[in-house]
Amino acid sequence: MNTLPEKGMSQAAISDALDAFVKDDIDWQSGRSPLYVFGTDPQAHEVGRDAFFRFYSENALGANRAFPSVKAMQEDVLKKCGALLNAPTSDGGVFTSGGTESIFLATRAARDEGRARKGIGKGGGNIVVPFTAHPAFRKAAESLDIEERRIAVDESGRADPRQMQDAIDDDTLMLAGSAPCFPYGVIDPITELGELAQRFNIWLHVDACVGGYLAPFVRDIGYPVPPFDMGVAGVASLSADLHKYGYCPKPASTLFFSSSKRADRASFKFNEWPCGSFRTPTLVGTRPAGGVAGAWAVLHHLGMQGYRDIATRVMAMRDQYVADIETVPGFGVFGHPDLAIIAFTNAQSNVFQIAALMRERGWLPGLTQEPPALHIMLSLLHETCREQYIEDLRWSTAEVAKNQAAGKAGAKAKVQY
Ligand SMILES: *Cc1c(COP(=O)(O)O)cnc(C)c1O
């Protein structure tokens, strides 16, 4: 049927229909998805959900004019999260809908500052990012009419400041590093990138989307974490997603700047339409107030100790996954992941064939193409399924080895995010 039903469906019928839709979804609750959903303890989940739905109808676009509640929660979240990431108090930060929007706004501000300072016209300028940078940088660059230069990383998987330096020219508007990068989970040398940024007077963005709300606590509990935040000299902006390791409901990300002048560049101002002055700090207009309330609630419910406790569990789990994976023939973890993202290669068997078998066993396989590797972003959802995962990985690997020895090709999983 191509039109809506003439007579609306009852709430009960809708509920049944929704249950039917979910039927074929990946069973993320059981840890079957290596990304997309981040698990926290069930109570924190409920607290976030309740707060989200209490502000189901309010619109965060109207935070300043209509909803002082949303404005207050948003400011409070940004102040406390900014302090956690050593952002200067002069800049309030921006609450956005996700990493992609945060990166877009930072890139636009860097472009406008750089073009103005260097006298570069429309369509000019470039940004220099490591090969491992998130596709959001390319999306931003393409949309903002800037060239994006992707530079090879070193053998540890980290950005190589010397090669990045070679790619800088008079038209370079921004450098970026990740903390950590999504593919390998390693933190780029932000201090060295900061030195480069200062030497050449270029904006440096730190993409801490995935690590921003995990790394400070991992450091607190005693793991070595290199400097990566707004406290590093030369960093102009930083993105950190609350809807990842902040365990807050989607959509929720934060963006911080080194000065209020830079923050001001990121905000959109307009007055040439019938209604008069229009100003938004975000790219999107209407946005869910539930995201703001949910973030406020989860952050305050967990508190510093809650985040430290979760970080302790996540890192212990990571260590256990690494140890277990390395008992499966041929597997080794790529590089030395700083946080809870791991990529693991196999020296003997085709990992894309292993991934296809894992898929048949109900696991959504995370993959990287260079090097060919399986990939997981661990959260508490992956705690209880570890033994089953390893068992299935062992079985799939043995199966592929058997097929390879018999000269059979076997199905391959495609890398598609
Ligand atoms: C998730 C992620 C992004 C993009 O964030 P979205 O919230 O999906 O838009 C950017 N960078 C890194 C490193 C990420 O892990």
Side-chain angles (χ1 to χ4, degrees):
M1 227 187 352
N2 291 326
T3 55
L4 290 172
E6 188 55 36
K7 185 171 173 314
M9 294 161 69
S10 69
Q11 192 172 4
I14 294 288
S15 175
D16 291 345
L18 295 180
D19 286 342
F21 275 119
V22 167
K23 202 170 38 58
D24 294 328
D25 281 5
I26 195 82
D27 183 8
W28 58 268
Q29 290 93 335
S30 308
R32 296 283 173 154
S33 179
L35 76 173
Y36 302 133
V37 186
F38 288 73
T40 177
D41 72 79
Q43 203 180 351
H45 179 86
E46 266 321 297
V47 166
R49 196 182 145 83
D50 177 60
F52 189 98
F53 286 108
R54 277 205 215 187
F55 286 84
Y56 175 74
S57 300
E58 285 77 2
N59 184 342
L61 174 63
N64 285 332
R65 299 180 63 221
F67 309 113
S69 57
V70 180
K71 177 175 155 64
M73 287 186 283
Q74 188 167 272
E75 283 176 356
D76 198 31
V77 164
L78 289 167
K79 194 169 70 192
K80 287 166 185 168
C81 291
L84 188 67
L85 294 163
N86 286 310
T89 45
S90 60
D91 158 42
V94 189
F95 193 109
T96 72
S97 63
T100 302
E101 187 183 9
S102 293
I103 288 168
F104 183 93
L105 293 172
T107 308
R108 191 179 62 189
R111 179 195 71 172
D112 293 351
E113 182 185 289
R115 280 187 185 165
R117 193 175 54 226
K118 296 168 191 247
I120 298 171
K122 273 192 192 315
N126 61 74
I127 65 173
V128 175
V129 307
F131 176 51
T132 48
H134 194 276
F137 286 97
R138 177 64 65 89
K139 195 187 271 189
E142 271 189 20
S143 313
L144 293 163
D145 219 355
I146 317 171
E147 178 198 348
E148 188 222 58
R149 299 179 176 169
R150 265 183 197 246
I151 309 303
V153 294
D154 69 19
E155 68 280 5
S156 76
R158 291 179 176 83
D160 181 344
R162 296 189 54 157
Q163 289 195 68
M164 285 178 69
Q165 180 177 338
D166 291 344
I168 295 173
D169 61 21
D170 290 345
D171 290 347
T172 301
L173 303 168
M174 185 175 89
L175 304 174
S178 311
C181 68
F182 178 80
Y184 311 139
V186 295
I187 297 179
D188 288 330
I190 304 301
T191 304
E192 289 172 56
L193 294 178
E195 284 163 10
L196 212 53
Q198 291 175 91
R199 181 139 42 98
F200 291 90
N201 196 13
I202 300 170
W203 186 297
L204 171 63
H205 180 77
V206 175
D207 178 8
C209 279
V210 70
Y213 295 109
L214 177 58
F217 303 105
V218 167
R219 180 185 287 148
D220 264 9
I221 61 169
Y223 284 83
V225 172
F228 74 92
D229 65 19
M230 294 298 297
V232 177
V235 175
S237 56
L238 177 145
S239 50
D241 292 351
L242 287 163
H243 61 207
K244 288 178 181 161
Y245 287 99
Y247 312 109
C248 300
K250 296 174 262 290
S253 171
T254 53
L255 171 62
F256 299 102
F257 295 93
S258 58
S259 69
S260 47
K261 199 160 160 242
R262 284 182 157 156
D264 193 54
R265 278 205 186 269
S267 127
F268 177 77
K269 304 160 209 86
F270 179 72
N271 202 357
E272 294 160 45
W273 72 319
C275 293
S277 175
F278 181 94
R279 183 185 173 114
T280 53
T282 52
L283 177 63
V284 301
T286 290
R287 58 198 168 95
V292 176
W296 191 92
V298 172
L299 285 161
H300 286 82
H301 174 71
L302 288 174
M304 298 295 279
Q305 192 54 45
Y307 280 101
R308 261 181 235 122
D309 290 346
I310 295 176
T312 304
R313 282 169 68 186
V314 166
M315 292 305 278
M317 188 186 14
R318 180 205 71 177
D319 293 342
Q320 194 62 59
Y321 264 92
V322 169
D324 288 355
I325 285 165
E326 292 189 337
T327 67
V328 181
F331 273 110
V333 168
F334 178 78
H336 295 278
D338 288 300
L339 301 173
I341 291 178
I342 49 178
F344 36 109
T345 55
N346 195 302
Q348 296 155 16
S349 305
N350 184 312
V351 292
F352 302 115
Q353 291 181 8
I354 296 171
L357 294 178
M358 290 295 277
R359 187 74 186 93
E360 281 176 22
R361 300 216 136 192
W363 302 95
L364 178 71
L367 286 165
T368 66
Q369 201 162 254
E370 291 181 38
L374 284 159
H375 185 265
I376 324 184
M377 189 151 60
L378 295 163
S379 75
L380 296 187
L381 292 169
H382 303 103
E383 222 171 25
T384 49
C385 64
R386 193 190 77 249
E387 286 177 9
Q388 186 65 54
Y389 182 87
I390 299 297
E391 192 185 313
D392 288 345
L393 184 67
R394 200 182 301 286
W395 177 84
S396 304
T397 305
E399 210 52 24
V400 168
K402 232 183 341 189
N403 288 344
Q404 273 177 206
K408 285 193 235 156
K412 278 188 192 178
K414 269 215 298 263
V415 184
Q416 168 73 63
Y417 279 91

